[in-house]
Amino acid sequence: MPSGPCSFVGMGMVGCDGTVLDCRVWISGGYWGNPQVYVHELSHNLYLGHAGSYNSAGTFDEYLDWTCYMGYAAAPPDEANRCANLPHAFQLGWASLTQLDANSLPKGYTYTAYVASNSVFRRAGVRIMPGTWASGQDPIYIGYRTAANGDIELPASLASKVHIYTSASTGNKDSKVSTLRTTLLVNDVWSWPPAGLYVKRINNFSANQAMVSICRKWGAENATSCAAGVDNDCNFKAGVDDPACAAFP
């Protein structure tokens, strides 16, 4: 599109499966040489929605996920090379994930996962489906990003951190917006009360892999859980290591 009259950076038709006459994108003048703008708009053709997050005032902005080219990273003033975030990479078939549901993540159980950088490895994260035990809850994605390959320009504020997202997308043609919920440094813990879920970043397994522990809360500790070494309260301590078990011989 010509410079001047068009206030947008780019626009793209969402979805391209042969049921419409054309699958097109429009790039506004001044951005014709920006590869990230093309990637962003062409990904709309591939059914991707935007990548959002909540600002400091608690308001949702559907572009505020700076870990993904479907957010502000594709537009000025950032215009930085950026890979897709984990929910979008999974939707495109670019990431193979470990998937956890009510059966593989029972209450009181702690699951340890090695989360690889999804700019380096294809098998690169965890997808939790809390809707299998808490009705209406969207899938949760746990990923890890390093400043490598397509993420070479990932800023220090986001590199080498575990990222946690939610996305309601149910398949590769479901254009739901993804949401960046938090980023974790070593020993940080994130909780999701609607699903009784806790995630703790343990440490780095290697330069391109982080370790996380995932726990589904059961309730208060009791004599049975303490004897069995089960972490009912998801404080990432069990048995004799859990102060809550001191009351039980």
Side-chain angles (χ1 to χ4, degrees):
M1 303 293 289
S3 300
C6 301
S7 60
F8 58 83
V9 174
M11 292 194 301
M13 297 179 70
V14 178
C16 183
D17 61 0
T19 60
V20 293
L21 295 178
D22 292 297
C23 296
R24 298 184 179 184
V25 302
W26 295 265
I27 308 298
S28 183
Y31 307 109
W32 298 336
N34 185 324
Q36 287 289 92
V37 172
Y38 285 88
V39 171
H40 178 109
E41 302 306 338
L42 288 168
S43 290
H44 281 314
N45 289 172
L46 298 175
Y47 291 92
L48 290 197
H50 289 139
S53 189
Y54 288 87
N55 62 24
S56 58
T59 302
F60 184 74
D61 183 335
E62 66 177 291
Y63 294 93
L64 197 55
D65 178 6
W66 292 89
T67 71
C68 186
Y69 65 71
M70 294 308 292
Y72 283 126
D78 193 63
E79 300 181 40
N81 290 326
R82 200 66 42 86
C83 289
N85 67 19
L86 195 61
H88 287 325
F90 178 72
Q91 186 177 347
L92 290 167
W94 296 350
S96 176
L97 308 182
T98 299
Q99 303 206 44
L100 301 175
D101 59 15
N103 293 322
S104 52
L105 188 66
K107 289 191 288 186
Y109 181 71
T110 300
Y111 182 92
T112 299
Y114 299 91
V115 186
S117 171
N118 69 300
S119 58
V120 179
F121 299 100
R122 183 174 183 272
R123 187 165 188 83
V126 177
R127 182 176 185 251
I128 306 170
M129 291 164 283
T132 59
W133 70 80
S135 179
Q137 291 301 303
D138 294 334
I140 296 169
Y141 295 78
I142 304 173
Y144 182 59
R145 302 283 285 278
T146 56
N149 299 329
D151 272 338
I152 195 66
E153 296 178 3
L154 193 68
S157 60
L158 296 172
S160 300
K161 290 187 176 181
V162 169
H163 303 119
I164 299 180
Y165 310 85
T166 56
S167 174
S169 180
T170 59
N172 63 346
K173 294 184 178 181
D174 188 5
S175 305
K176 297 291 196 308
V177 175
S178 65
T179 302
L180 174 64
R181 294 292 177 175
T182 192
T183 60
L184 302 181
L185 292 169
V186 174
N187 292 324
D188 284 348
V189 176
W190 175 79
S191 65
W192 191 242
L197 199 68
Y198 292 76
V199 179
K200 180 178 182 179
R201 180 175 175 186
I202 305 301
N203 54 32
N204 273 25
F205 180 71
S206 68
N208 290 312
Q209 285 185 298
M211 289 178 63
V212 296
S213 284
I214 304 163
C215 183
R216 182 181 162 200
K217 190 172 183 177
W218 186 302
E221 301 293 354
N222 54 50
T224 301
S225 68
C226 289
V230 175
D231 187 12
N232 270 6
D233 58 7
C234 287
N235 67 348
F236 298 99
K237 297 178 181 179
V240 296
D241 295 324
D242 191 342
C245 289
F248 304 102

PDB file of all heavy atoms in Angstrom, residues 45-59:
ATOM      1  N   ASN A  45      -2.435 -15.683   7.516  1.00  0.00           N
ATOM      2  CA  ASN A  45      -2.924 -16.597   6.483  1.00  0.00           C
ATOM      3  C   ASN A  45      -2.889 -18.043   6.962  1.00  0.00           C
ATOM      4  O   ASN A  45      -3.673 -18.886   6.516  1.00  0.00           O
ATOM      5  CB  ASN A  45      -2.073 -16.497   5.218  1.00  0.00           C
ATOM      6  CG  ASN A  45      -2.264 -15.208   4.435  1.00  0.00           C
ATOM      7  OD1 ASN A  45      -1.532 -14.939   3.484  1.00  0.00           O
ATOM      8  ND2 ASN A  45      -3.231 -14.382   4.809  1.00  0.00           N
ATOM      9  N   LEU A  46      -1.950 -18.334   7.882  1.00  0.00           N
ATOM     10  CA  LEU A  46      -1.792 -19.690   8.427  1.00  0.00           C
ATOM     11  C   LEU A  46      -2.579 -19.862   9.728  1.00  0.00           C
ATOM     12  O   LEU A  46      -2.276 -20.748  10.521  1.00  0.00           O
ATOM     13  CB  LEU A  46      -0.314 -19.991   8.658  1.00  0.00           C
ATOM     14  CG  LEU A  46       0.569 -19.969   7.413  1.00  0.00           C
ATOM     15  CD1 LEU A  46       2.029 -20.160   7.788  1.00  0.00           C
ATOM     16  CD2 LEU A  46       0.135 -21.037   6.422  1.00  0.00           C
ATOM     17  N   TYR A  47      -3.566 -19.010   9.943  1.00  0.00           N
ATOM     18  CA  TYR A  47      -4.518 -19.102  11.054  1.00  0.00           C
ATOM     19  C   TYR A  47      -3.974 -18.667  12.405  1.00  0.00           C
ATOM     20  O   TYR A  47      -4.591 -18.944  13.435  1.00  0.00           O
ATOM     21  CB  TYR A  47      -5.069 -20.533  11.185  1.00  0.00           C
ATOM     22  CG  TYR A  47      -5.972 -20.947  10.059  1.00  0.00           C
ATOM     23  CD1 TYR A  47      -5.473 -21.597   8.945  1.00  0.00           C
ATOM     24  CD2 TYR A  47      -7.344 -20.688  10.102  1.00  0.00           C
ATOM     25  CE1 TYR A  47      -6.287 -21.985   7.907  1.00  0.00           C
ATOM     26  CE2 TYR A  47      -8.180 -21.075   9.071  1.00  0.00           C
ATOM     27  CZ  TYR A  47      -7.642 -21.719   7.969  1.00  0.00           C
ATOM     28  OH  TYR A  47      -8.466 -22.104   6.936  1.00  0.00           O
ATOM     29  N   LEU A  48      -2.859 -17.964  12.463  1.00  0.00           N
ATOM     30  CA  LEU A  48      -2.381 -17.507  13.757  1.00  0.00           C
ATOM     31  C   LEU A  48      -3.101 -16.240  14.195  1.00  0.00           C
ATOM     32  O   LEU A  48      -3.319 -15.328  13.396  1.00  0.00           O
ATOM     33  CB  LEU A  48      -0.877 -17.222  13.716  1.00  0.00           C
ATOM     34  CG  LEU A  48       0.077 -18.404  13.588  1.00  0.00           C
ATOM     35  CD1 LEU A  48       1.486 -17.980  13.971  1.00  0.00           C
ATOM     36  CD2 LEU A  48      -0.351 -19.606  14.400  1.00  0.00           C
ATOM     37  N   GLY A  49      -3.457 -16.194  15.486  1.00  0.00           N
ATOM     38  CA  GLY A  49      -3.954 -14.974  16.091  1.00  0.00           C
ATOM     39  C   GLY A  49      -2.791 -14.170  16.644  1.00  0.00           C
ATOM     40  O   GLY A  49      -1.622 -14.518  16.455  1.00  0.00           O
ATOM     41  N   HIS A  50      -3.092 -13.100  17.343  1.00  0.00           N
ATOM     42  CA  HIS A  50      -2.038 -12.267  17.907  1.00  0.00           C
ATOM     43  C   HIS A  50      -1.487 -12.864  19.203  1.00  0.00           C
ATOM     44  O   HIS A  50      -2.019 -13.844  19.723  1.00  0.00           O
ATOM     45  CB  HIS A  50      -2.557 -10.849  18.151  1.00  0.00           C
ATOM     46  CG  HIS A  50      -2.777 -10.085  16.897  1.00  0.00           C
ATOM     47  ND1 HIS A  50      -3.858  -9.268  16.679  1.00  0.00           N
ATOM     48  CD2 HIS A  50      -2.041 -10.020  15.754  1.00  0.00           C
ATOM     49  CE1 HIS A  50      -3.784  -8.719  15.477  1.00  0.00           C
ATOM     50  NE2 HIS A  50      -2.691  -9.169  14.888  1.00  0.00           N
ATOM     51  N   ALA A  51      -0.393 -12.273  19.683  1.00  0.00           N
ATOM     52  CA  ALA A  51       0.272 -12.727  20.905  1.00  0.00           C
ATOM     53  C   ALA A  51       0.212 -11.590  21.920  1.00  0.00           C
ATOM     54  O   ALA A  51       0.887 -10.572  21.761  1.00  0.00           O
ATOM     55  CB  ALA A  51       1.728 -13.104  20.620  1.00  0.00           C
ATOM     56  N   GLY A  52      -0.618 -11.745  22.954  1.00  0.00           N
ATOM     57  CA  GLY A  52      -0.872 -10.660  23.872  1.00  0.00           C
ATOM     58  C   GLY A  52      -0.427 -10.933  25.297  1.00  0.00           C
ATOM     59  O   GLY A  52       0.098 -11.998  25.622  1.00  0.00           O
ATOM     60  N   SER A  53      -0.672  -9.938  26.151  1.00  0.00           N
ATOM     61  CA  SER A  53      -0.389 -10.056  27.576  1.00  0.00           C
ATOM     62  C   SER A  53      -1.117  -8.913  28.278  1.00  0.00           C
ATOM     63  O   SER A  53      -1.772  -8.090  27.644  1.00  0.00           O
ATOM     64  CB  SER A  53       1.118  -9.993  27.846  1.00  0.00           C
ATOM     65  OG  SER A  53       1.399 -10.313  29.196  1.00  0.00           O
ATOM     66  N   TYR A  54      -0.992  -8.865  29.615  1.00  0.00           N
ATOM     67  CA  TYR A  54      -1.616  -7.817  30.416  1.00  0.00           C
ATOM     68  C   TYR A  54      -0.586  -6.751  30.770  1.00  0.00           C
ATOM     69  O   TYR A  54       0.545  -7.065  31.126  1.00  0.00           O
ATOM     70  CB  TYR A  54      -2.222  -8.401  31.692  1.00  0.00           C
ATOM     71  CG  TYR A  54      -3.466  -9.221  31.430  1.00  0.00           C
ATOM     72  CD1 TYR A  54      -3.373 -10.573  31.121  1.00  0.00           C
ATOM     73  CD2 TYR A  54      -4.730  -8.637  31.469  1.00  0.00           C
ATOM     74  CE1 TYR A  54      -4.514 -11.330  30.867  1.00  0.00           C
ATOM     75  CE2 TYR A  54      -5.872  -9.381  31.219  1.00  0.00           C
ATOM     76  CZ  TYR A  54      -5.759 -10.730  30.919  1.00  0.00           C
ATOM     77  OH  TYR A  54      -6.886 -11.458  30.667  1.00  0.00           O
ATOM     78  N   ASN A  55      -0.992  -5.482  30.683  1.00  0.00           N
ATOM     79  CA  ASN A  55      -0.077  -4.406  31.047  1.00  0.00           C
ATOM     80  C   ASN A  55      -0.100  -4.181  32.556  1.00  0.00           C
ATOM     81  O   ASN A  55      -0.816  -4.873  33.299  1.00  0.00           O
ATOM     82  CB  ASN A  55      -0.406  -3.121  30.278  1.00  0.00           C
ATOM     83  CG  ASN A  55      -1.792  -2.580  30.590  1.00  0.00           C
ATOM     84  OD1 ASN A  55      -2.366  -2.841  31.648  1.00  0.00           O
ATOM     85  ND2 ASN A  55      -2.340  -1.803  29.663  1.00  0.00           N
ATOM     86  N   SER A  56       0.669  -3.207  33.035  1.00  0.00           N
ATOM     87  CA  SER A  56       0.799  -2.968  34.468  1.00  0.00           C
ATOM     88  C   SER A  56      -0.509  -2.532  35.112  1.00  0.00           C
ATOM     89  O   SER A  56      -0.683  -2.657  36.327  1.00  0.00           O
ATOM     90  CB  SER A  56       1.876  -1.910  34.725  1.00  0.00           C
ATOM     91  OG  SER A  56       1.553  -0.701  34.046  1.00  0.00           O
ATOM     92  N   ALA A  57      -1.444  -2.032  34.301  1.00  0.00           N
ATOM     93  CA  ALA A  57      -2.747  -1.625  34.828  1.00  0.00           C
ATOM     94  C   ALA A  57      -3.753  -2.771  34.836  1.00  0.00           C
ATOM     95  O   ALA A  57      -4.902  -2.590  35.239  1.00  0.00           O
ATOM     96  CB  ALA A  57      -3.292  -0.457  34.005  1.00  0.00           C
ATOM     97  N   GLY A  58      -3.320  -3.945  34.381  1.00  0.00           N
ATOM     98  CA  GLY A  58      -4.212  -5.098  34.351  1.00  0.00           C
ATOM     99  C   GLY A  58      -5.105  -5.160  33.135  1.00  0.00           C
ATOM    100  O   GLY A  58      -6.059  -5.947  33.094  1.00  0.00           O
ATOM    101  N   THR A  59      -4.815  -4.351  32.120  1.00  0.00           N
ATOM    102  CA  THR A  59      -5.596  -4.333  30.886  1.00  0.00           C
ATOM    103  C   THR A  59      -4.942  -5.234  29.847  1.00  0.00           C
ATOM    104  O   THR A  59      -3.721  -5.174  29.642  1.00  0.00           O
ATOM    105  CB  THR A  59      -5.702  -2.905  30.329  1.00  0.00           C
ATOM    106  OG1 THR A  59      -6.295  -2.064  31.329  1.00  0.00           O
ATOM    107  CG2 THR A  59      -6.553  -2.874  29.065  1.00  0.00           C
TER     108      THR A  59
END
